[in-house]
Amino acid sequence: MVLVRGATLALIASGLVLSACSAERPFGPTIGDVFGGGSSSANNRAAAQTGIGVNAFLWRASLDTLAFMPLANADPWGGVINYDWYTDAQTPNERFKATVFILDTRLRADALNVSVTKETRTADGQWVAAPVAAQTETDLENAILTKARQLNLQNAR
C-alpha cells in the first residue's frame, strides 16, 4: 500500500514537472491550476504574460522608485521587496530600511503597502529605533503608484 501511494505521488509530481515544460505555459501551472482555484482567465493570462505573481507595473515602479536604497532581496512571486539600510550623506546619524508589499495582480492603490523603519545614532554610536512620519510611507506609496501608472501608459502605446 505504501509503495502504491509513493508511486502515485511520484507520478503526480512528474506530471506537474513535465507540464511546466509545455510551450503553452512557459512558467508552469499556477496553484489555481493544480488545486482548481477560481481565478479568472484574464488574471491567468496577465500572470502568464508577466511571469511574476504580482502586478508587473507596481513591481517595476517599486524597484525604480527605491533604486537609491540597497536591495536586500526580492520575491516576485510573493510580492515582497526588502531594502537594506540606507544612510543619506546629508544626515549621517539617520538610516532607513524599507519593505514593499505588492498584494495583487491588478494596478490598484490598495495593492501596494510600504513599510519604513528608521533608526538614529546615539552619542555613543548605537543605533536605536526612531518613529517614522506616517506621511513618509504614504509619499513613497504615491510615488510608486504614479510611476506604475506612467509605465502602464507607456506600455499601452
Side-chain angles (χ1 to χ4, degrees), residues 3-155:
L3 183 60
V4 172
R5 284 184 186 166
T8 303
L9 288 175
L11 183 62
I12 291 171
S14 64
L16 289 174
V17 169
L18 290 175
S19 69
C21 297
S22 75
E24 181 180 46
R25 262 202 186 202
F27 301 106
T30 65
I31 294 296
D33 293 340
V34 175
F35 295 106
S39 61
S40 72
S41 61
N43 284 344
N44 287 341
R45 282 193 306 273
Q49 289 172 356
T50 61
I52 61 176
V54 296
N55 184 277
F57 299 118
L58 286 173
W59 182 261
R60 183 78 250 164
S62 298
L63 293 173
D64 290 351
T65 302
L66 295 173
F68 64 93
M69 296 181 79
L71 184 64
N73 60 43
D75 177 11
W77 289 271
V80 179
I81 306 172
N82 290 309
Y83 291 92
D84 209 355
W85 292 110
Y86 167 76
T87 304
D88 186 15
Q90 296 177 354
T91 56
N93 291 327
E94 291 181 343
R95 66 182 185 175
F96 297 89
K97 193 180 222 184
T99 302
V100 177
F101 300 96
I102 301 172
L103 309 168
D104 201 339
T105 56
R106 297 171 291 179
L107 179 54
R108 300 169 41 123
D110 62 353
L112 180 69
N113 186 355
V114 177
S115 174
V116 178
T117 304
K118 177 182 175 181
E119 288 185 348
T120 57
R121 192 184 326 229
T122 61
D124 63 349
Q126 299 294 318
W127 291 101
V128 295
V132 178
Q135 192 62 37
T136 302
E137 293 173 347
T138 303
D139 289 346
L140 284 173
E141 288 174 0
N142 288 337
I144 292 169
L145 287 166
T146 300
K147 179 69 175 176
R149 289 181 187 114
Q150 290 170 351
L151 291 170
N152 187 22
L153 288 173
Q154 288 173 359
N155 190 49

